[in-house]
Amino acid sequence: MTNISYPHVYLESIFYNMISNALKYTRPGVPPQIMITAKKSHDRIELSFKDNGLGIDLERHGENIFKLNKIFHHGFDSKGVGLFMTKNQIETFGGSITVESQPNAGTEFKILI
């Protein structure tokens, strides 16, 4: 069992954004799968949110992934605020977030808090 000591309101927001994005950007005709894991990494906690959705072309969009008002899939109710806000919430308390993704192969966000 892994205990996470983090401000409740920020942790709830992080989980909400990661899960809602995974559900929003599912591939048509493919049931969504979301794997959430937590593990201890030295003195920190690493959270992983991995899905089987549309994915993001990081070669094309990688430098903009956490910037304000940047969207990577059109036709969705997206404003480009969620990942920007999530990154800022994580970094406010000394954490970090990384992303691994390929188009049509899903996305994994790793958060170190």
Tab-separated table of all heavy atoms in Angstrom, residues 13-58:
chain	number	residue	atom	x	y	z
A	13	SER	N	-7.864	17.198	-8.497
A	13	SER	CA	-7.823	17.841	-9.808
A	13	SER	C	-6.933	17.072	-10.784
A	13	SER	O	-7.283	16.893	-11.958
A	13	SER	CB	-7.327	19.279	-9.654
A	13	SER	OG	-7.214	19.900	-10.915
A	14	ILE	N	-5.790	16.608	-10.313
A	14	ILE	CA	-4.862	15.837	-11.153
A	14	ILE	C	-5.539	14.548	-11.626
A	14	ILE	O	-5.532	14.232	-12.815
A	14	ILE	CB	-3.558	15.543	-10.389
A	14	ILE	CG1	-2.766	16.837	-10.183
A	14	ILE	CG2	-2.713	14.498	-11.122
A	14	ILE	CD1	-1.659	16.736	-9.148
A	15	PHE	N	-6.133	13.809	-10.697
A	15	PHE	CA	-6.824	12.574	-11.063
A	15	PHE	C	-7.975	12.867	-12.032
A	15	PHE	O	-8.154	12.155	-13.024
A	15	PHE	CB	-7.344	11.843	-9.822
A	15	PHE	CG	-6.372	10.866	-9.241
A	15	PHE	CD1	-5.303	11.297	-8.457
A	15	PHE	CD2	-6.508	9.513	-9.474
A	15	PHE	CE1	-4.398	10.403	-7.929
A	15	PHE	CE2	-5.599	8.591	-8.941
A	15	PHE	CZ	-4.539	9.043	-8.169
A	16	TYR	N	-8.741	13.891	-11.758
A	16	TYR	CA	-9.865	14.234	-12.613
A	16	TYR	C	-9.393	14.528	-14.040
A	16	TYR	O	-9.957	14.002	-15.012
A	16	TYR	CB	-10.642	15.433	-12.057
A	16	TYR	CG	-11.754	15.860	-12.980
A	16	TYR	CD1	-12.977	15.191	-12.973
A	16	TYR	CD2	-11.573	16.893	-13.885
A	16	TYR	CE1	-13.996	15.550	-13.842
A	16	TYR	CE2	-12.578	17.252	-14.764
A	16	TYR	CZ	-13.789	16.585	-14.738
A	16	TYR	OH	-14.784	16.940	-15.619
A	17	ASN	N	-8.368	15.351	-14.183
A	17	ASN	CA	-7.876	15.710	-15.513
A	17	ASN	C	-7.301	14.512	-16.254
A	17	ASN	O	-7.555	14.333	-17.450
A	17	ASN	CB	-6.840	16.835	-15.431
A	17	ASN	CG	-7.478	18.187	-15.284
A	17	ASN	OD1	-8.346	18.555	-16.067
A	17	ASN	ND2	-7.065	18.927	-14.279
A	18	MET	N	-6.535	13.691	-15.576
A	18	MET	CA	-5.938	12.534	-16.238
A	18	MET	C	-7.007	11.529	-16.689
A	18	MET	O	-6.977	11.040	-17.821
A	18	MET	CB	-4.941	11.833	-15.307
A	18	MET	CG	-3.694	12.648	-14.971
A	18	MET	SD	-2.588	12.838	-16.387
A	18	MET	CE	-2.885	14.537	-16.834
A	19	ILE	N	-7.968	11.258	-15.815
A	19	ILE	CA	-9.009	10.279	-16.152
A	19	ILE	C	-9.968	10.834	-17.198
A	19	ILE	O	-10.331	10.133	-18.153
A	19	ILE	CB	-9.749	9.824	-14.882
A	19	ILE	CG1	-8.785	9.043	-13.979
A	19	ILE	CG2	-10.973	8.976	-15.236
A	19	ILE	CD1	-9.317	8.770	-12.595
A	20	SER	N	-10.378	12.091	-17.052
A	20	SER	CA	-11.319	12.646	-18.027
A	20	SER	C	-10.686	12.758	-19.408
A	20	SER	O	-11.357	12.508	-20.422
A	20	SER	CB	-11.874	13.998	-17.564
A	20	SER	OG	-10.857	14.965	-17.495
A	21	ASN	N	-9.399	13.087	-19.493
A	21	ASN	CA	-8.730	13.107	-20.797
A	21	ASN	C	-8.669	11.710	-21.397
A	21	ASN	O	-8.890	11.533	-22.597
A	21	ASN	CB	-7.319	13.679	-20.687
A	21	ASN	CG	-7.288	15.186	-20.684
A	21	ASN	OD1	-8.302	15.844	-20.875
A	21	ASN	ND2	-6.117	15.746	-20.452
A	22	ALA	N	-8.363	10.721	-20.590
A	22	ALA	CA	-8.293	9.346	-21.093
A	22	ALA	C	-9.652	8.903	-21.634
A	22	ALA	O	-9.725	8.209	-22.658
A	22	ALA	CB	-7.819	8.400	-19.996
A	23	LEU	N	-10.719	9.295	-20.983
A	23	LEU	CA	-12.054	8.930	-21.448
A	23	LEU	C	-12.486	9.759	-22.661
A	23	LEU	O	-13.126	9.255	-23.575
A	23	LEU	CB	-13.074	9.090	-20.315
A	23	LEU	CG	-12.928	8.093	-19.173
A	23	LEU	CD1	-13.862	8.457	-18.021
A	23	LEU	CD2	-13.190	6.677	-19.660
A	24	LYS	N	-12.123	11.024	-22.668
A	24	LYS	CA	-12.517	11.908	-23.771
A	24	LYS	C	-11.862	11.495	-25.088
A	24	LYS	O	-12.501	11.497	-26.128
A	24	LYS	CB	-12.118	13.351	-23.441
A	24	LYS	CG	-12.552	14.359	-24.494
A	24	LYS	CD	-12.000	15.754	-24.250
A	24	LYS	CE	-12.487	16.360	-22.981
A	24	LYS	NZ	-12.062	17.776	-22.814
A	25	TYR	N	-10.591	11.130	-25.040
A	25	TYR	CA	-9.831	10.864	-26.256
A	25	TYR	C	-9.685	9.367	-26.536
A	25	TYR	O	-8.609	8.869	-26.819
A	25	TYR	CB	-8.469	11.550	-26.182
A	25	TYR	CG	-8.603	13.046	-26.032
A	25	TYR	CD1	-8.268	13.679	-24.837
A	25	TYR	CD2	-9.105	13.814	-27.065
A	25	TYR	CE1	-8.408	15.044	-24.692
A	25	TYR	CE2	-9.259	15.184	-26.925
A	25	TYR	CZ	-8.909	15.795	-25.736
A	25	TYR	OH	-9.058	17.147	-25.595
A	26	THR	N	-10.809	8.656	-26.457
A	26	THR	CA	-10.805	7.234	-26.781
A	26	THR	C	-10.842	7.060	-28.294
A	26	THR	O	-11.287	7.945	-29.028
A	26	THR	CB	-12.011	6.511	-26.147
A	26	THR	OG1	-13.207	7.113	-26.624
A	26	THR	CG2	-11.967	6.586	-24.635
A	27	ARG	N	-10.372	5.912	-28.738
A	27	ARG	CA	-10.433	5.586	-30.165
A	27	ARG	C	-11.826	5.058	-30.483
A	27	ARG	O	-12.353	4.234	-29.736
A	27	ARG	CB	-9.380	4.541	-30.526
A	27	ARG	CG	-7.976	5.112	-30.511
A	27	ARG	CD	-6.954	4.090	-30.955
A	27	ARG	NE	-6.749	3.136	-29.873
A	27	ARG	CZ	-6.327	1.902	-30.026
A	27	ARG	NH1	-6.054	1.431	-31.229
A	27	ARG	NH2	-6.157	1.108	-28.992
A	28	PRO	N	-12.401	5.508	-31.586
A	28	PRO	CA	-13.729	5.021	-31.955
A	28	PRO	C	-13.745	3.499	-32.085
A	28	PRO	O	-12.854	2.904	-32.690
A	28	PRO	CB	-13.987	5.679	-33.319
A	28	PRO	CG	-13.099	6.878	-33.334
A	28	PRO	CD	-11.886	6.496	-32.528
A	29	GLY	N	-14.736	2.876	-31.470
A	29	GLY	CA	-14.897	1.431	-31.565
A	29	GLY	C	-13.994	0.618	-30.658
A	29	GLY	O	-14.030	-0.604	-30.673
A	30	VAL	N	-13.164	1.288	-29.854
A	30	VAL	CA	-12.244	0.591	-28.951
A	30	VAL	C	-12.649	0.911	-27.511
A	30	VAL	O	-12.633	2.074	-27.111
A	30	VAL	CB	-10.779	1.022	-29.193
A	30	VAL	CG1	-9.836	0.339	-28.216
A	30	VAL	CG2	-10.364	0.752	-30.634
A	31	PRO	N	-13.036	-0.089	-26.731
A	31	PRO	CA	-13.396	0.180	-25.333
A	31	PRO	C	-12.207	0.809	-24.585
A	31	PRO	O	-11.082	0.327	-24.702
A	31	PRO	CB	-13.714	-1.203	-24.766
A	31	PRO	CG	-14.002	-2.063	-25.955
A	31	PRO	CD	-13.162	-1.504	-27.065
A	32	PRO	N	-12.464	1.884	-23.844
A	32	PRO	CA	-11.360	2.532	-23.136
A	32	PRO	C	-10.806	1.667	-22.007
A	32	PRO	O	-11.555	0.995	-21.310
A	32	PRO	CB	-11.981	3.809	-22.580
A	32	PRO	CG	-13.440	3.541	-22.529
A	32	PRO	CD	-13.734	2.556	-23.620
A	33	GLN	N	-9.500	1.685	-21.888
A	33	GLN	CA	-8.801	1.048	-20.775
A	33	GLN	C	-7.897	2.094	-20.143
A	33	GLN	O	-7.138	2.760	-20.851
A	33	GLN	CB	-7.965	-0.131	-21.237
A	33	GLN	CG	-8.763	-1.271	-21.811
A	33	GLN	CD	-7.879	-2.411	-22.293
A	33	GLN	OE1	-6.674	-2.266	-22.444
A	33	GLN	NE2	-8.494	-3.546	-22.538
A	34	ILE	N	-7.990	2.223	-18.846
A	34	ILE	CA	-7.148	3.169	-18.110
A	34	ILE	C	-6.492	2.412	-16.973
A	34	ILE	O	-7.176	1.794	-16.159
A	34	ILE	CB	-7.972	4.340	-17.539
A	34	ILE	CG1	-8.782	5.024	-18.644
A	34	ILE	CG2	-7.055	5.340	-16.834
A	34	ILE	CD1	-9.815	5.996	-18.117
A	35	MET	N	-5.168	2.448	-16.937
A	35	MET	CA	-4.441	1.801	-15.845
A	35	MET	C	-3.789	2.900	-15.001
A	35	MET	O	-3.021	3.710	-15.522
A	35	MET	CB	-3.357	0.862	-16.376
A	35	MET	CG	-2.646	0.131	-15.249
A	35	MET	SD	-1.219	-0.880	-15.726
A	35	MET	CE	-1.712	-1.633	-17.236
A	36	ILE	N	-4.126	2.902	-13.737
A	36	ILE	CA	-3.557	3.871	-12.803
A	36	ILE	C	-2.731	3.097	-11.786
A	36	ILE	O	-3.232	2.176	-11.155
A	36	ILE	CB	-4.657	4.671	-12.089
A	36	ILE	CG1	-5.552	5.378	-13.113
A	36	ILE	CG2	-4.041	5.672	-11.107
A	36	ILE	CD1	-6.816	5.950	-12.517
A	37	THR	N	-1.464	3.485	-11.672
A	37	THR	CA	-0.602	2.818	-10.698
A	37	THR	C	0.125	3.865	-9.869
A	37	THR	O	0.309	5.004	-10.284
A	37	THR	CB	0.439	1.902	-11.381
A	37	THR	OG1	1.237	2.683	-12.269
A	37	THR	CG2	-0.237	0.788	-12.167
A	38	ALA	N	0.528	3.442	-8.689
A	38	ALA	CA	1.330	4.278	-7.802
A	38	ALA	C	2.441	3.408	-7.242
A	38	ALA	O	2.208	2.258	-6.869
A	38	ALA	CB	0.485	4.850	-6.671
A	39	LYS	N	3.637	3.951	-7.211
A	39	LYS	CA	4.748	3.220	-6.607
A	39	LYS	C	5.688	4.213	-5.955
A	39	LYS	O	5.725	5.391	-6.296
A	39	LYS	CB	5.481	2.374	-7.643
A	39	LYS	CG	6.229	3.160	-8.686
A	39	LYS	CD	6.945	2.227	-9.661
A	39	LYS	CE	7.745	3.027	-10.681
A	39	LYS	NZ	8.432	2.163	-11.636
A	40	LYS	N	6.410	3.694	-5.000
A	40	LYS	CA	7.400	4.509	-4.305
A	40	LYS	C	8.673	4.537	-5.149
A	40	LYS	O	9.142	3.505	-5.610
A	40	LYS	CB	7.682	3.933	-2.930
A	40	LYS	CG	8.319	4.911	-1.997
A	40	LYS	CD	8.103	4.491	-0.558
A	40	LYS	CE	8.451	5.680	0.286
A	40	LYS	NZ	7.534	5.942	1.311
A	41	SER	N	9.190	5.717	-5.364
A	41	SER	CA	10.412	5.907	-6.130
A	41	SER	C	11.345	6.777	-5.296
A	41	SER	O	11.163	7.989	-5.239
A	41	SER	CB	10.096	6.564	-7.475
A	41	SER	OG	11.265	6.767	-8.224
A	42	HIS	N	12.278	6.133	-4.614
A	42	HIS	CA	13.142	6.803	-3.633
A	42	HIS	C	12.253	7.365	-2.532
A	42	HIS	O	11.503	6.627	-1.923
A	42	HIS	CB	14.044	7.835	-4.301
A	42	HIS	CG	14.871	7.260	-5.414
A	42	HIS	ND1	15.957	6.445	-5.193
A	42	HIS	CD2	14.739	7.347	-6.757
A	42	HIS	CE1	16.467	6.063	-6.350
A	42	HIS	NE2	15.751	6.595	-7.319
A	43	ASP	N	12.281	8.651	-2.287
A	43	ASP	CA	11.448	9.249	-1.239
A	43	ASP	C	10.180	9.871	-1.806
A	43	ASP	O	9.500	10.619	-1.117
A	43	ASP	CB	12.238	10.326	-0.484
A	43	ASP	CG	13.375	9.741	0.328
A	43	ASP	OD1	13.358	8.517	0.566
A	43	ASP	OD2	14.269	10.507	0.718
A	44	ARG	N	9.858	9.588	-3.055
A	44	ARG	CA	8.720	10.208	-3.729
A	44	ARG	C	7.729	9.141	-4.171
A	44	ARG	O	8.006	7.959	-4.115
A	44	ARG	CB	9.204	11.003	-4.955
A	44	ARG	CG	10.467	11.770	-4.724
A	44	ARG	CD	10.482	13.232	-4.502
A	44	ARG	NE	9.492	14.107	-4.994
A	44	ARG	CZ	9.708	15.041	-5.894
A	44	ARG	NH1	10.878	15.146	-6.475
A	44	ARG	NH2	8.760	15.882	-6.216
A	45	ILE	N	6.605	9.594	-4.667
A	45	ILE	CA	5.580	8.716	-5.216
A	45	ILE	C	5.489	8.985	-6.710
A	45	ILE	O	5.427	10.141	-7.145
A	45	ILE	CB	4.200	8.967	-4.571
A	45	ILE	CG1	4.257	8.757	-3.063
A	45	ILE	CG2	3.125	8.098	-5.221
A	45	ILE	CD1	4.546	7.340	-2.642
A	46	GLU	N	5.478	7.912	-7.500
A	46	GLU	CA	5.263	8.046	-8.935
A	46	GLU	C	3.882	7.512	-9.276
A	46	GLU	O	3.569	6.349	-9.009
A	46	GLU	CB	6.304	7.271	-9.737
A	46	GLU	CG	6.110	7.416	-11.239
A	46	GLU	CD	7.082	6.581	-12.040
A	46	GLU	OE1	8.247	7.003	-12.165
A	46	GLU	OE2	6.669	5.504	-12.534
A	47	LEU	N	3.054	8.381	-9.823
A	47	LEU	CA	1.737	8.000	-10.308
A	47	LEU	C	1.830	7.830	-11.816
A	47	LEU	O	2.467	8.629	-12.497
A	47	LEU	CB	0.700	9.085	-10.002
A	47	LEU	CG	0.439	9.414	-8.550
A	47	LEU	CD1	-0.467	10.640	-8.447
A	47	LEU	CD2	-0.208	8.224	-7.861
A	48	SER	N	1.187	6.806	-12.328
A	48	SER	CA	1.151	6.588	-13.767
A	48	SER	C	-0.294	6.460	-14.215
A	48	SER	O	-1.079	5.738	-13.593
A	48	SER	CB	1.920	5.310	-14.127
A	48	SER	OG	1.692	4.965	-15.480
A	49	PHE	N	-0.637	7.178	-15.275
A	49	PHE	CA	-1.956	7.119	-15.893
A	49	PHE	C	-1.740	6.693	-17.334
A	49	PHE	O	-1.180	7.456	-18.127
A	49	PHE	CB	-2.658	8.479	-15.852
A	49	PHE	CG	-2.956	8.962	-14.469
A	49	PHE	CD1	-1.988	9.620	-13.724
A	49	PHE	CD2	-4.202	8.762	-13.896
A	49	PHE	CE1	-2.254	10.077	-12.442
A	49	PHE	CE2	-4.476	9.210	-12.615
A	49	PHE	CZ	-3.506	9.864	-11.886
A	50	LYS	N	-2.141	5.479	-17.656
A	50	LYS	CA	-1.893	4.931	-18.987
A	50	LYS	C	-3.215	4.533	-19.625
A	50	LYS	O	-4.048	3.889	-18.980
A	50	LYS	CB	-0.970	3.717	-18.885
A	50	LYS	CG	-0.531	3.160	-20.211
A	50	LYS	CD	0.492	2.056	-20.020
A	50	LYS	CE	0.999	1.583	-21.365
A	50	LYS	NZ	2.081	0.617	-21.229
A	51	ASP	N	-3.400	4.926	-20.894
A	51	ASP	CA	-4.646	4.592	-21.588
A	51	ASP	C	-4.363	4.010	-22.967
A	51	ASP	O	-3.220	3.978	-23.412
A	51	ASP	CB	-5.552	5.831	-21.684
A	51	ASP	CG	-4.986	6.915	-22.575
A	51	ASP	OD1	-4.691	6.643	-23.761
A	51	ASP	OD2	-4.857	8.059	-22.105
A	52	ASN	N	-5.417	3.567	-23.620
A	52	ASN	CA	-5.305	2.984	-24.957
A	52	ASN	C	-6.023	3.853	-25.988
A	52	ASN	O	-6.561	3.368	-26.963
A	52	ASN	CB	-5.875	1.556	-24.973
A	52	ASN	CG	-7.373	1.532	-24.721
A	52	ASN	OD1	-7.935	2.454	-24.123
A	52	ASN	ND2	-8.036	0.478	-25.159
A	53	GLY	N	-6.023	5.153	-25.764
A	53	GLY	CA	-6.788	6.079	-26.589
A	53	GLY	C	-6.094	6.540	-27.856
A	53	GLY	O	-5.226	5.861	-28.411
A	54	LEU	N	-6.487	7.720	-28.310
A	54	LEU	CA	-5.997	8.282	-29.561
A	54	LEU	C	-4.498	8.553	-29.563
A	54	LEU	O	-3.874	8.550	-30.614
A	54	LEU	CB	-6.727	9.604	-29.866
A	54	LEU	CG	-8.193	9.495	-30.244
A	54	LEU	CD1	-8.810	10.886	-30.351
A	54	LEU	CD2	-8.347	8.741	-31.552
A	55	GLY	N	-3.945	8.816	-28.410
A	55	GLY	CA	-2.529	9.152	-28.338
A	55	GLY	C	-2.263	10.548	-28.873
A	55	GLY	O	-3.147	11.210	-29.405
A	56	ILE	N	-1.029	10.968	-28.739
A	56	ILE	CA	-0.611	12.300	-29.183
A	56	ILE	C	0.664	12.135	-30.002
A	56	ILE	O	1.575	11.411	-29.600
A	56	ILE	CB	-0.325	13.220	-27.972
A	56	ILE	CG1	-1.562	13.341	-27.081
A	56	ILE	CG2	0.152	14.602	-28.427
A	56	ILE	CD1	-1.292	13.943	-25.720
A	57	ASP	N	0.730	12.802	-31.123
A	57	ASP	CA	1.930	12.791	-31.953
A	57	ASP	C	2.955	13.714	-31.302
A	57	ASP	O	2.919	14.935	-31.483
A	57	ASP	CB	1.588	13.251	-33.366
A	57	ASP	CG	2.769	13.171	-34.320
A	57	ASP	OD1	3.929	13.044	-33.857
A	57	ASP	OD2	2.535	13.246	-35.540
A	58	LEU	N	3.852	13.146	-30.517
A	58	LEU	CA	4.824	13.949	-29.773
A	58	LEU	C	5.878	14.574	-30.678
A	58	LEU	O	6.440	15.614	-30.337
A	58	LEU	CB	5.477	13.120	-28.672
A	58	LEU	CG	4.532	12.690	-27.546
A	58	LEU	CD1	5.264	11.835	-26.531
A	58	LEU	CD2	3.891	13.896	-26.878
